[in-house]
Amino acid sequence: MKINRLLRILICFFLVISAVQLQAQDILKGKDLSTLKVDQLTDADIAKLKAQLSSSNVSIEQAEQMALAKGMSAAEFAKLKARLGGQSANNSSVTGKLKSGQNKTIEKQNNSSDTLDTEKYNEKKARSLINPLIFGAELYTTMSPSFEPNLKLATPLNYIIGPDDELLVTVYGIQEYTGELLVSDEGNINIPNVGQIRIAGLTIEAATQKLKTVMGNSVYPFLKSGGAKLSVTLNKIRSIKVTVIGANRPANYTLSSLATVFNALYVAGGPSEFGSFREIELVRNNKIERKVDLYRMLLKGDQSDNVGLKDNDIIRIPAYRKRVELQGQVKRPGIFEVLPGETFQQILEFASGFTDTAYTAIVKAFQNSDRERRVKDILAKDYGTYLPESGDVFVVSRILNRFQNRVKINGAVSRPDVYELTDGLTVGELIRKADGLKEDAYTGRAQVIRLQEDLTKSILSFDVRKALQGIQEHNLLLKREDEILISSILDLRDSFKVTIQGEIRFPGQYDYVENLTLRDIILQAGGFTDAAYRSIEIARLIKRDSIAATDNRASSIINAEIDGDLSVNGFPSVVIMPYDVITVRRKAGYVVPESVIVSGQVQYPGPYALSNRNERVSDLLKRSGGYTPDANPAGAYIKRRFTDEEKRKKDAAIAIQKSISNRDTAALRNLDEQKRADYIQVPLDLNAIMNSPGSIQDLVLRTNDELVIPKFDGQVKISGAVLLEAQIPFKEKISLREYISSAGGYSSDAWKKNTYIVYANGKAATSKNFLFFRFYPKVLPGSEIVVPKKPLKKGLNAAEILGFTTGLASLAAIVVTVIK
């Protein structure tokens, strides 16, 4: 059965392949082309199809109309058209050959230019065909060029006419004539009523003169008298055969008769890896017509070697005779070809000379001998006479990162910088070069940091004033890399600070200055605040050399008073000393009014300023006008914001709980919610508070407290581990268990004994057990019954089991030992 099935599959496969091939061969004759898949056609099928179109004399446009009419989709025909175009390109002649007609002529009306096909060029990045370090290699890349000379040119007067050229001969003026005349294989053109005229081998200019003479002596006499003019231009250009040898793509190329040596080299990919760039031979009629040196064009743009080509010319690229490499600090490092008699100086010119950081005194030459390598030092004076050897590698080093005549001066001078070391330069002269000393310069002593011969440093001291006076003992003679350091008196003294704090506008630290007074520092700190008291305390540093065992003083305290007058004419002010700490006291009883908020079901909700520091909930409720009719006093509570200290304690407690509950995801999520909360809910019993104002339940209010009186909600919410969470209308005399039954009862993972109620004011109550009895809390309107889930029981992991068994084994061993 399996064999029969396999045979049937193979037969179907071959039938499909045959159908595709048949459709490929008879696309013009087929009736239904809707099933044709172009991707399944081979290159041979495409070639057959192209031959069929050619033999039937059917264009691509006509074939498209026929194919679409027979059911072929437009997308499939677009693929077919692309493959037919690719097949045409693949079947073209040698890469780089000019497009030509069957008569080997080129229409002058084409839109070509002597550049690469930019679309092909951009398809992928071009790279050099040979070692890119070889000078000139960048001209010839891996991209296959489709070079075509620009034919939109005025006809060159020195163009030599040959067979298959087509001339446009025009006579205008009193007599007129226009003719497109093809030059025959014998080199003649035939002009009606004039006859055959031989012009092959003549330039356009010479051919024009000959035609003017011959035609003027026949039926066009006005050409001689000037009554008519003659114009001769190229209408169609012939192609020529050129052979390139020794290139990266050696071949026999069909080129335009306008092509030059550089065009042919470009098409052939330039010299090969071992080909010469400087001794390229143009061979014509078995003789060397010209030797081409590409360096003339590369270095100077000289195109004197870019001569025109003739039919059957040969371009021969011989192997190079001598190459050298130039590395290091030159502007254009690379591999250069050297002709006999050229020196290292000329190679430097090929590389555009040294860079700005090159060491030009000596160049290293690494050479090859018969057995090993050797190094040769080429001095600068020998650059113009040294003749390189093939294989030489010249390395140009970088100059040293050091100075031969540098000295430095830093510190309290007007222009600290680097200066030139001149003969006999002294310390005094360098200070004058730096525009002299600053006002804060310390002149009693300065230093010269000197670099020794072993690169260690030494120090020489001198008196700055005596050095400027020219006293030889102090006016030291400077050496290379000496550095003068002149200190500032500001650098030699402490930077003293004074601190002011308390009821001042800009408390902080301020710089100490001479003769600073208390009024001055208060003025710098922006003056007093409105809460400032006239009593000011100054803590002063105690200066002592040692501390006695009985001396416990930390500072000496100075009390001062200022009545707010900071003017100069006021009472004498206390003089401030370094490191004084000034404290401006606050007025006793200066308290900014604090506010609380009442929200919810009261007559006048909103913010209220506390009337006294002991105002309570009952006082605030009376000020807000009492409850509204739909208020729920049993659900009242206070939102109390955390102080900074309370928040710190809360965060510390949550961190401890997290470390204990590190495996309980639900517990961790609950702790994160608690951490984000910025207030705590304080439940209130308003009935007890209003019955006993001022009692312990009547809380004293705090700044930013919010008293919330909720709206009466006659429902009870059941949530947690029940079958269906629900909200049920409150009914009297219904127990907690009956409410849970109304929500479908407990779920399988319910932790029944820990069921609890959250009342409207945020207070919670749990069930209690006594002997064999369980007592449930009372359900009130607006409360929520929460049935928690049982915690997941996780088994011991491998490490815990191992530790447990190890402990048991140790215990057993101890017991056995004791028994024995």
Side-chain angles (χ1 to χ4, degrees):
M1 292 295 292
K2 291 183 178 179
I3 296 175
N4 291 335
R5 184 179 300 171
L6 181 61
L7 288 173
R8 284 197 295 269
I9 292 173
L10 289 174
I11 290 170
C12 293
F13 177 78
F14 285 120
L15 287 174
V16 170
I17 295 297
S18 301
V20 170
Q21 292 179 348
L22 184 62
Q23 286 179 342
Q25 295 173 3
D26 298 326
I27 187 171
L28 296 179
K29 300 177 182 178
K31 294 182 180 180
D32 185 12
L33 301 181
S34 60
T35 59
L36 179 63
K37 300 297 181 185
V38 176
D39 293 336
Q40 297 176 358
L41 300 180
T42 65
D43 291 340
D45 297 332
I46 297 296
K48 291 179 182 178
L49 179 58
K50 186 182 176 187
Q52 185 181 4
L53 292 173
S54 178
S55 62
S56 302
N57 200 20
V58 176
S59 66
I60 292 291
E61 290 75 15
Q62 293 171 336
E64 183 178 6
Q65 295 177 2
M66 294 169 60
L68 295 177
K70 294 179 181 181
M72 190 175 186
S73 67
E76 287 297 320
F77 190 84
K79 294 180 183 178
L80 180 63
K81 188 175 181 181
R83 291 192 64 182
L84 286 172
Q87 185 74 21
S88 175
N90 293 335
N91 292 337
S92 63
S93 60
V94 179
T95 303
K97 187 179 295 184
L98 282 170
K99 297 177 182 177
S100 59
Q102 293 180 357
N103 60 356
K104 299 181 181 179
T105 59
I106 301 170
E107 295 291 339
K108 192 170 180 181
Q109 286 75 21
N110 66 42
N111 294 322
S112 62
S113 62
D114 35 355
T115 60
L116 278 174
D117 187 332
T118 54
E119 290 184 3
K120 290 183 180 179
Y121 190 86
N122 291 329
E123 284 180 2
K124 61 180 181 178
K125 188 175 180 180
R127 55 184 176 81
S128 297
L129 288 166
I130 57 176
N131 186 352
L133 289 177
I134 296 175
F135 183 57
E138 67 273 10
L139 291 177
Y140 309 107
T141 65
T142 53
M143 298 305 302
S144 298
S146 56
F147 175 82
E148 295 178 3
N150 188 0
L151 302 181
K152 289 190 173 183
L153 298 172
T155 303
L157 295 179
N158 61 350
Y159 177 78
I160 298 176
I161 300 171
D164 289 331
D165 279 340
E166 184 176 278
L167 303 180
L168 180 62
V169 178
T170 303
V171 177
Y172 56 94
I174 295 177
Q175 290 182 298
E176 292 185 352
Y177 167 76
T178 299
E180 296 178 354
L181 308 176
L182 181 65
V183 179
S184 66
D185 293 339
E186 292 78 19
N188 301 324
I189 59 172
N190 186 16
I191 300 177
N193 300 321
V194 176
Q196 291 194 354
I197 304 174
R198 182 174 179 81
I199 60 171
L202 300 178
T203 64
I204 290 291
E205 187 176 21
T208 301
Q209 291 299 325
K210 184 173 182 179
L211 290 177
K212 183 177 179 181
T213 301
V214 174
M215 294 174 70
N217 291 330
S218 59
V219 295
Y220 297 98
F222 287 99
L223 287 174
K224 296 177 67 175
S225 63
K229 303 291 183 182
L230 176 65
S231 171
V232 179
T233 58
L234 284 172
N235 194 34
K236 292 181 181 179
I237 302 172
R238 72 183 185 277
S239 60
I240 59 175
K241 294 285 187 179
V242 175
T243 303
V244 183
I245 303 170
N248 283 298
R249 291 187 285 265
N252 184 266
Y253 291 92
T254 301
L255 302 176
S256 161
S257 57
L258 292 176
T260 63
V261 171
F262 289 177
N263 300 150
L265 287 173
Y266 182 71
V267 170
S272 64
E273 187 78 24
F274 300 101
S276 172
F277 277 71
R278 307 197 61 188
E279 295 183 303
I280 300 171
E281 298 172 354
L282 173 60
V283 180
R284 182 173 295 162
N285 298 326
N286 298 323
K287 295 180 181 179
I288 298 177
E289 179 75 14
R290 189 182 191 93
K291 281 197 174 183
V292 177
D293 186 352
L294 290 178
Y295 278 26
R296 282 199 284 265
M297 187 270 288
L298 292 170
L299 296 171
K300 302 176 182 178
D302 182 358
Q303 297 199 56
S304 58
D305 288 335
N306 192 22
V307 296
L309 296 173
K310 293 186 178 181
D311 197 21
N312 295 321
D313 275 356
I314 297 174
I315 297 176
R316 176 180 171 272
I317 305 175
Y320 70 86
R321 288 195 279 180
K322 189 188 296 185
R323 272 185 188 168
V324 298
E325 185 174 357
L326 196 54
Q327 300 176 358
Q329 301 302 308
V330 290
K331 294 177 181 175
R332 193 188 311 172
I335 298 173
F336 300 91
E337 186 175 344
V338 183
L339 295 180
E342 290 183 334
T343 64
F344 177 71
Q345 183 63 45
Q346 291 169 294
I347 299 173
L348 272 179
E349 293 173 2
F350 296 162
S352 299
F354 294 113
T355 63
D356 296 336
T357 58
Y359 176 59
T360 60
I362 296 177
V363 171
K364 299 288 183 184
F366 295 87
Q367 300 177 327
N368 299 323
S369 65
D370 295 338
R371 297 180 57 188
E372 56 191 1
R373 303 200 59 173
R374 62 175 179 263
V375 179
K376 184 176 180 62
D377 292 336
I378 306 173
L379 303 179
K381 64 183 180 63
D382 298 328
Y383 290 170
T385 58
Y386 177 76
L387 298 176
E389 298 180 10
S390 187
D392 281 0
V393 178
F394 299 98
V395 179
V396 181
S397 303
R398 185 187 294 271
I399 59 175
L400 299 176
N401 188 21
R402 54 178 290 180
F403 294 87
Q404 63 183 7
N405 63 340
R406 179 180 67 171
V407 289
K408 292 183 282 188
I409 184 168
N410 288 312
V413 292
S414 298
R415 297 184 182 276
D417 209 335
V418 175
Y419 291 89
E420 177 189 3
L421 174 63
T422 56
D423 291 337
L425 183 66
T426 62
V427 167
E429 291 173 354
L430 184 56
I431 293 174
R432 294 186 186 94
K433 268 190 175 182
D435 277 355
L437 301 172
K438 287 185 176 179
E439 293 79 1
D440 60 337
Y442 176 66
T443 59
R445 190 182 190 88
Q447 295 89 31
V448 174
I449 308 298
R450 177 156 293 172
L451 191 67
Q452 305 284 24
E453 292 183 359
D454 60 355
L455 299 184
T456 60
K457 292 184 178 180
S458 63
I459 188 168
L460 302 173
S461 300
F462 65 94
D463 187 302
V464 178
R465 286 171 297 191
K466 293 179 179 179
L468 291 174
Q469 292 169 5
I471 299 175
Q472 186 174 1
E473 181 183 354
H474 295 275
N475 194 20
L476 304 176
L477 189 66
L478 294 175
K479 296 183 179 181
R480 186 182 71 85
E481 292 299 320
D482 277 357
E483 181 178 3
I484 299 177
L485 298 177
I486 299 178
S487 301
S488 167
I489 56 175
L490 301 178
D491 298 332
L492 301 176
R493 87 172 47 145
D494 286 337
S495 177
F496 298 124
K497 296 288 184 180
V498 176
T499 303
I500 185 168
Q501 58 191 11
E503 294 303 320
I504 206 77
R505 295 187 186 280
F506 305 109
Q509 284 192 335
Y510 292 85
D511 292 329
Y512 171 79
V513 294
E514 295 287 343
N515 302 321
L516 182 67
T517 65
L518 181 59
R519 283 190 173 88
D520 295 326
I521 191 64
I522 292 173
L523 191 63
Q524 288 185 39
F528 298 112
T529 64
D530 185 58
Y533 186 55
R534 66 175 180 269
S535 176
I536 297 174
E537 184 179 272
I538 302 171
R540 180 157 294 169
L541 174 71
I542 300 175
K543 295 183 179 180
R544 50 197 166 185
D545 295 332
S546 61
I547 301 177
T550 58
D551 189 358
N552 296 322
R553 295 175 300 163
S555 62
S556 62
I557 303 300
I558 301 172
N559 292 309
E561 289 189 3
I562 295 182
D563 58 0
D565 184 10
L566 299 179
S567 65
V568 177
N569 299 324
F571 290 102
S573 184
V574 178
V575 176
I576 300 299
M577 301 300 291
Y579 303 115
D580 279 357
V581 178
I582 304 158
T583 304
V584 180
R585 297 295 178 199
R586 188 184 185 89
K587 292 177 182 177
Y590 189 92
V591 179
V592 177
E594 299 173 338
S595 297
V596 294
I597 300 173
V598 181
S599 62
Q601 307 306 310
V602 292
Q603 298 292 339
Y604 308 110
Y608 287 83
L610 294 176
S611 59
N612 61 73
R613 288 182 291 177
N614 295 319
E615 187 164 2
R616 298 177 180 269
V617 173
S618 58
D619 301 326
L620 182 61
L621 192 58
K622 291 176 183 177
R623 291 173 63 188
S624 63
Y627 313 125
T628 60
D630 54 352
N632 181 17
Y637 60 90
I638 288 177
K639 279 186 181 179
R640 178 153 288 175
R641 310 291 172 182
F642 290 115
T643 62
D644 293 339
E645 181 64 20
E646 289 172 342
K647 187 168 181 60
R648 186 187 63 78
K649 291 179 180 179
K650 183 191 75 166
D651 291 345
I654 289 175
I656 295 172
Q657 293 179 54
K658 276 189 172 183
S659 65
I660 297 173
S661 307
N662 58 354
R663 292 188 180 181
D664 192 341
T665 306
L668 291 174
R669 185 165 55 249
N670 185 36
L671 290 172
D672 288 336
E673 291 177 358
Q674 292 182 31
K675 188 173 183 179
R676 286 193 294 269
D678 60 349
Y679 67 90
I680 188 171
Q681 185 171 324
V682 182
L684 297 176
D685 187 351
L686 285 185
N687 290 330
I689 289 173
M690 298 309 293
N691 290 332
S692 301
S695 63
I696 193 170
Q697 294 184 4
D698 192 6
L699 300 179
V700 176
L701 296 172
R702 214 163 67 179
T703 305
N704 296 324
D705 277 355
E706 181 178 354
L707 175 60
V708 180
I709 311 296
K711 190 175 182 179
F712 181 81
D713 183 6
Q715 292 187 340
V716 176
K717 183 178 179 182
I718 302 97
S719 62
V722 293
L723 294 180
L724 179 66
E725 293 189 357
Q727 282 189 334
I728 299 171
F730 173 77
K731 294 181 180 179
E732 293 282 354
K733 300 180 180 180
I734 293 182
S735 67
L736 181 144
R737 298 188 66 179
E738 289 177 304
Y739 278 107
I740 293 175
S741 298
S742 301
Y746 295 106
S747 63
S748 59
D749 58 347
W751 203 359
K752 299 178 184 178
K753 66 178 182 179
N754 286 329
T755 301
Y756 62 92
I757 294 180
V758 179
Y759 294 107
N761 63 356
K763 191 175 181 180
T766 62
S767 58
K768 298 178 180 178
N769 295 329
F770 179 73
L771 296 179
F772 301 104
F773 302 99
R774 178 174 295 172
F775 300 95
Y776 294 100
K778 185 178 181 181
V779 181
L780 297 177
S783 57
E784 179 181 0
I785 301 171
V786 181
V787 182
K789 292 182 179 181
K790 292 179 180 178
L792 295 176
K793 294 183 179 180
K794 295 185 178 180
L796 298 176
N797 56 33
E800 292 170 338
I801 293 172
L802 180 61
F804 181 70
T805 54
T806 303
L808 285 178
S810 300
L811 180 61
I814 292 170
V815 171
V816 170
T817 303
V818 171
I819 292 173
K820 288 183 178 180

